[in-house]
Amino acid sequence: MGQKKDLTGSEKSKIVRYLAEGCSSLKIAKLLKRDHRTIKRFIQNSQQGCKKRVEKPRRKITAHELRKVKRAAAKMPLATSLAIFQSCNITGVPKSTRCAILRDMAKVRKAERRPPLNKTHKLKRQDWSKKYLKTDFSKVLWTDEMRVSLDGPDGWARGWIGKGQRAPVRLRRQQGGGGVLVWAGIIKDELVGPFRVEDGVKLNSQSYCQFLEDTFFKQWYRKKSASFKKNMIFMQDNAPSHASKYSTAWLARKGIKEERLMTWPPCSPDLNPIENLWSIIKSEIYKEGKQYTSLNSVWEAVVAAARNVDGEQIKTLRESMDGRLLSVLAKKGGYIGR
């Protein structure tokens, strides 16, 4: 057998494959027609480079210091581990040790994004809660739009991976690869829609009203009884296309006006139960970090997920409204948990 100085990349790959199949180094040398010593040297060097990591012992933290860290973590949300330990006058602790200690008492979380509430907003939220506190919410149609992208929200593609396994490859596309705008409503224990906004259409007052005409009114509302229409209360948020004079006048011509059109307080997504429905649907369509290759495929996933939402889930969301209103009043107009 001829001897060569270096193994090629192809030969190294074959060695790894043959080892995985249980071949001995001598057999591999014969298969590759290489010197046995060259094969053994490569295997030994590879094993030396894959030594198991030996964890260094943590610096010991006293019980008193631990209590100080716990109090500081509670007082300083979203602070770094270094800032927390420095506030406790605990120095000389490496980052790995700081993070290991904090993992036993805290979690790494992102700050929740919400519109800012000023004094006027809080007063309007309180007034709204008082106005609708005795409302029969089974007669309210809660509506909203949701945009779903091909890639899903940032940070949702995380999960546990077994030791020795590689993380799956995830596509990176600008703006999540594009998306679909979806409209839906919930009333009593029924899901209305979802309906898809035509791709490329920007919802202004005119296109919003035309969309409602082609979907909500023609496909659902017109089938309802006169008594149902008389008692139904239509809810929409204060998006410009919803709250404009054009849209308000158009809905009035449809008979949705005055007490049948719910007023909505500013900056209040936490009061709309359909926001929770969107969370249920997104959790389903993006589970396990799933991505989509076309707008039609992500729309089909939304429709399938919506079909799996049962009446009890919708009823639970609707029945949560009394508690939400009381929470707003208790917090003097402040945000509530959804």
Side-chain angles (χ1 to χ4, degrees), residues 41 56 65 96 109 167 238 271 287 326:
R41 192 181 305 115
K56 296 180 181 179
E65 289 176 326
S96 58
R109 298 286 295 273
N238 293 322
L271 299 181
K287 64 182 179 182
L326 292 172

Side-chain angles (χ1 to χ4, degrees), residues 163-191:
K163 290 184 178 179
Q165 292 182 319
R166 294 187 63 183
V169 176
R170 186 168 174 82
L171 299 176
R172 292 183 63 183
R173 295 175 282 203
Q174 289 187 347
Q175 298 181 0
V180 174
L181 187 62
V182 181
W183 182 97
I186 55 174
I187 183 170
K188 201 173 181 179
D189 58 357
E190 183 180 358
L191 173 61

Side-chain angles (χ1 to χ4, degrees), residues 266-309:
C267 305
S268 299
D270 56 326
L271 299 181
N272 191 352
I274 201 172
E275 295 287 351
N276 300 86
L277 175 72
W278 294 145
S279 296
I280 293 170
I281 290 176
K282 283 185 176 181
S283 297
E284 178 64 25
I285 67 175
Y286 295 124
K287 64 182 179 182
E288 299 176 358
K290 185 172 177 59
Q291 291 179 290
Y292 298 87
T293 56
S294 69
L295 298 181
N296 286 335
S297 62
V298 72
W299 165 244
E300 290 169 1
V302 169
V303 173
R307 288 200 196 102
N308 291 331
V309 178

Side-chain angles (χ1 to χ4, degrees), residues 215-231:
T215 55
F216 168 68
F217 282 101
K218 286 185 178 179
Q219 299 182 38
W220 187 83
Y221 188 74
R222 67 186 299 181
K223 300 175 184 178
K224 297 299 179 180
S225 64
S227 61
F228 175 89
K229 295 176 182 178
K230 182 179 179 181
N231 293 318

Side-chain angles (χ1 to χ4, degrees), residues 186-254:
I186 55 174
I187 183 170
K188 201 173 181 179
D189 58 357
E190 183 180 358
L191 173 61
V192 182
F195 298 118
R196 177 179 178 177
V197 178
E198 187 178 345
D199 297 340
V201 173
K202 184 177 180 180
L203 281 188
N204 54 31
S205 300
Q206 290 80 9
S207 58
Y208 172 66
C209 293
Q210 187 60 52
F211 170 78
L212 289 181
E213 177 66 34
D214 296 337
T215 55
F216 168 68
F217 282 101
K218 286 185 178 179
Q219 299 182 38
W220 187 83
Y221 188 74
R222 67 186 299 181
K223 300 175 184 178
K224 297 299 179 180
S225 64
S227 61
F228 175 89
K229 295 176 182 178
K230 182 179 179 181
N231 293 318
M232 189 197 80
I233 301 172
F234 188 84
M235 173 272 154
Q236 59 182 2
D237 61 24
N238 293 322
S241 59
H242 300 172
S244 68
K245 291 181 179 179
Y246 180 94
S247 299
T248 304
W250 186 84
L251 287 171
R253 291 196 295 271
K254 292 287 186 179

Side-chain angles (χ1 to χ4, degrees), residues 37-69:
R37 290 169 296 181
T38 303
I39 303 298
K40 286 181 69 177
R41 192 181 305 115
F42 169 75
I43 296 172
Q44 289 171 354
N45 291 339
S46 300
Q47 290 174 341
Q48 288 175 0
C50 298
K51 289 182 179 179
K52 289 186 177 180
R53 180 182 173 184
V54 178
E55 292 190 6
K56 296 180 181 179
R58 298 185 196 173
R59 180 202 173 215
K60 290 185 177 180
I61 304 293
T62 66
H64 176 64
E65 289 176 326
L66 203 60
R67 288 194 294 271
K68 288 172 68 177
V69 169

